[in-house]
Every structure is written in C-alpha cells, then in structure tokens.
Amino acid sequence: MGVRRLYWTALAGRWRAVLVLAACSLLEGVPAFLSGRLVQLAVDEGFAAGAPGVGLTWLGVFAAVAVAGAMGSRLVWRHVGALVEPMRDALVARVVRGILEAPTPPRNQPDASGVARLTQHVEVVRDATAGLLVQTRGLLVTTAGALLGVVTIAGPLGWLVTLPVVVTIGLFACLLPSIAARQRAVALADEGTAERAGTIFDGMRDVVACGGEQAAAASVSGAIEAQARAAVAMARASALRSLVIAIGGFVPLVLVLAAAPGMVAAGELSAGAALGSLVYLTATLQPALQGLASAATTVILRLLVALRRLAEVADLPPRRPGHAVPVGDQVVARGVTFRWGAGAEPIVHDLDLTLAPGEHLAVVGPSGIGKSTVAGLLTGMLAPDGGVVILGGMPVREVNAERRHRMMALVPQEAYLFTGTVRENLALFAPDADDARLWTAVEAVGAADLIARLGGLDAELGHGATELSAGERQLLALARIYAHPAPIVILDEATSHLDPATELRAERAFAARSGTLVVIAHRPASALRAHRILVMDGADTTVGTHDELLTRSPRYAELFAA
C-alpha cells in the first residue's frame, strides 16, 4: 500500500469521526448561508417597513445563528484529533519501515534525510491535515454558503458574483502546479541543509583536526544559499497567488455596486436584498476567498509535497516474503560482490567464505574497507550485486525474516538502548527469559558491576540511555545478545568502546557460548582469539589462520607490525 493510499485509508477508516465532522461543518456553515438573508429580512420587513422591532428581532436571530456557527467550529476542533492522530501513527510506522528496508542505507553517518522525514515531513502532514479539516474545510463551507445565499436572495446578481469567483478559482488552480514545484524545492533545500550540516557536525573533530573549517563552512553556506533562493522563489509565487485572489474578491464587489442601484430603482431588487448581497460579499465571501487561497498554499500544497517526499521512502516495492527453511547453521558466501551505488567500485569483490557451525571468525582490515558491509551481507540486511549468501542451504534473503532473526544476531558498534527498565532492554530478543538467564548473560560479558550500580534489573533507563557511557551501553547490548538464543552472532566492532580487558572477557564469553561467532575486529588482538581470520584489502580478500596469514597476506603482516 502506497503512502498516499495509506493516508486516505487512515482517514476514511475513522468514518464515525468523519460523519461527526460533517455534521459540525453543516452547523458551522449556517451563518455563512443565512447572514445576508437575515439582513435582508431585517431591512425589508423591519426597518424599511417602519417596524424596527421586527428588524431588531431578525438581527437577534442573526446573532443566535452566529453563536450556533461558533459552536460548530468549537466541535470541529474537539473532534479533529480523532482523525489526525491515528493517521500520523500509521504514517510514522510506514516511513520507519521504508527507511529500515531501504536498499542503500546511509553509511557511517546519521540518516539526516530520514530524520527530516520522520520529524519535519510527518509533522507537516499532521499539521496540514488538521488545517485541512479545520481551516480549509471551514473556508470551503463558508464560500459555498455565501454563493448559495447570494443566489437565493438576489438571483439577478448571482452571475455577477459567481462567475468572477469561478474564474478566480480556475486561475488559482492553474498556478498550483508551479507553487507546488516551488514548495517541493523548498522542502528539498531544507533537507539538503539538514543533511549537509548533520554530516559536518558528526565529523566536527575530524574537520578541525584536518583544518577543514573553511571548506566545511563553504559547503554549509552553499546549502543555505540554495535554501534562500528556493524560499524567495516560493515567496514570489505566493505573491502572485495573493494578487489573483485579491482581484477575484474585488471584482464581484465592484460589479454588485455598479448594478445594484439600477436594479433597486427598477424594482428588480429590494434594498434589503442589495444590502444582504453586500454583506455576503464583504463579510463572508471576500475573507473566505483570501483565507482559502492562503490555506491552499500553507496547507494543501505543503501536504502534497510532504506526502510525495514520504512516498519516496515509504512507497518501496514490496519485499518478497521469504519461505525458505534453512537446514543447519552453516553460512556460505559464493562470489559475493557489493557496491554502494551503480557507478561505484565494488567494496566487496568476489567474496568466497564458508562458516561451519561453531566456528569463530575475525574480520580485519583498514577502516572503511567494507568490514561492516560484510556483516550486512551475511545477515541478509544488504542484497549483493553478484553472488549469493546461503544460510543453512538456502539463500539468506529468501529465508523468512522472523526465522532469520531467530538464527542470526548482529551487535553494531553504536549500541542503542530503549527507554524502560534494564530487564526490558536485556530481554528484548528473549522475552521469555527469566531473571536467572539474564543474570547469566550479564555476568558472562562482565556487566554485573554495572547492573548493580544502576540498581538491578528494575533500574530505569532514559531515552537512549544517555546517562551511560558508550562503553556501558555496549556492555548492556552485548548482554542482550548473549541472552538471545541465536546460534550465529556477529559483533560489528561491538567492543570498540571497551577497554582491552573487558573486550577480552566479552569475546571469550561469546566464543565459549555454543554457536558461530563473527567478530568485526576493532583491535588486532581479536584476530589472535579466532579460529580463522578474513583479511579485507580492497579487491583482495584472504582467509586463514594467524600464522598462515603472516606469510600469505602483506596487509595482515603490516597490521600486526604496526
């Protein structure tokens, strides 16, 4: 289901709230429809007929109708949340899924564009939908009520009012594609600035160390200038829109003022009807048209642009559900090649690797050589451009995702802990684990003192566990995976923030745990503890024991000599 269809389905699924909103809209639109009519009655049957009491009575009715309309507006605000919030939740879930399943996720840096979609664009959709249901809907009801009221009390003037309004709306509709394109350019420029600034902030230490402050500032300045140009172009389009709407609201008033006196003198129109028509135009139709144009830009266009941006992530082709059932825990890579982008050089080239059940493999190589990419390929998170990764005799990406997650566990370098208790975090992948099993995992990786200092398994962790150091978060993440029954564990520099002694204890614990262990090495010492070692050196990959690689792999010998 595409994001647009999901959006409309989420709204339509709340049909009771839609009916309530429609009823409130009818109540809200009553003053727009009756205002001129009540003024006509007050003049023709009251003040002009020498009966001021009757005129005041009709004006009192006008006041009562206005109060009823205000009550309708208040009820709209009360019920709009029942439509907007479920839609927002559905969009967030879909966008998160699309970001997680993106075929080429961002590497080695935060996904600033994804964050912008989840925060800025989803909130734009939420706020725009609320504005659509409250502001734009109300303006449409008001405009329709005013036009219908003019036709009802002053039929001869109906065309003089209706035709310019229809032409104005048509011209405005012709401007919408241009305005939408410029609004989209503003959104893209906002994302570009956020992504550029986020990348620089994330690597600020390296920027300063390399003396790249001026280059970084120039890069951000270029993005800001592009953002400013997009904003100026959008402002010009908005000004043209405002001009069209202003003319559309002014022309009917001029036509009525020109035609009404002659029609009244000829007896074709009563004085009350002429005054009522002017009330419709000045008090209702003109403000409604101006507000509708403003809402169309600030609400409808922003909604359409934001939905289109979300669709670029969420409207991914559906991933085929895996039905293959692995037999055993052996992992085999045959001629696996992977590149980050169609025009890029392969970062993994013709990789052949066999991991027997229970084997301990270390992956070593320079930073950025593709070690984490290998982890993504082995777990099926990344699809190879060539070759195949086989799990238990079946292509890993054809294995049901739930089964694959039960068989394989990956611990990334940047461990994430969720808001909740320590117990909830440790039992995330083993919800049936009792406290004894969790404590076994904690003690195995050396996190017992940390848990005791926090206050035990019932201790509460805040958002992202920012109260803990990076190493402490890694320890809890290691304990969480140790408690997981997966027979295949991949540690992707998961001990990089630990001291060597703590790292040694954690790796030994996983090596002693039954199952296959792959360690993306942060320190060369991890290679000494493995049965075999995979050395990555660009297009060349070599597999062997420590002693074998010292003679067969210049890159490996160089790493240990350093």
Side-chain angles (χ1 to χ4, degrees), residues 527-551:
L528 299 176
R529 297 187 280 269
H531 300 150
R532 287 192 304 157
I533 303 156
L534 169 65
V535 182
M536 299 191 66
D537 186 15
D540 298 324
T541 55
T542 310
V543 181
T545 64
H546 172 70
D547 293 334
E548 292 171 347
L549 292 174
L550 285 176
T551 58

Side-chain angles (χ1 to χ4, degrees), residues 329-336 351-357 359 377-379 384 387-396 408 488 516 532:
D329 304 331
Q330 187 183 60
V331 179
V332 179
R334 295 178 180 169
V336 172
L351 174 64
D352 290 311
L353 177 67
T354 299
L355 285 174
E359 185 174 3
L377 291 166
L378 293 180
T379 56
V388 64
V389 176
I390 298 173
L391 171 63
M394 299 293 175
V396 66
M408 310 180 82
I488 303 170
T516 304
R532 287 192 304 157

Side-chain angles (χ1 to χ4, degrees), residues 176-198:
L176 281 179
S178 174
I179 299 176
R182 296 185 181 188
Q183 182 73 54
R184 173 178 167 80
V186 170
L188 291 174
D190 290 345
E191 285 187 20
T193 302
E195 188 169 2
R196 189 72 57 84

Side-chain angles (χ1 to χ4, degrees), residues 59-71:
L59 292 180
V61 175
F62 188 179
V65 168
V67 171
M71 292 179 58

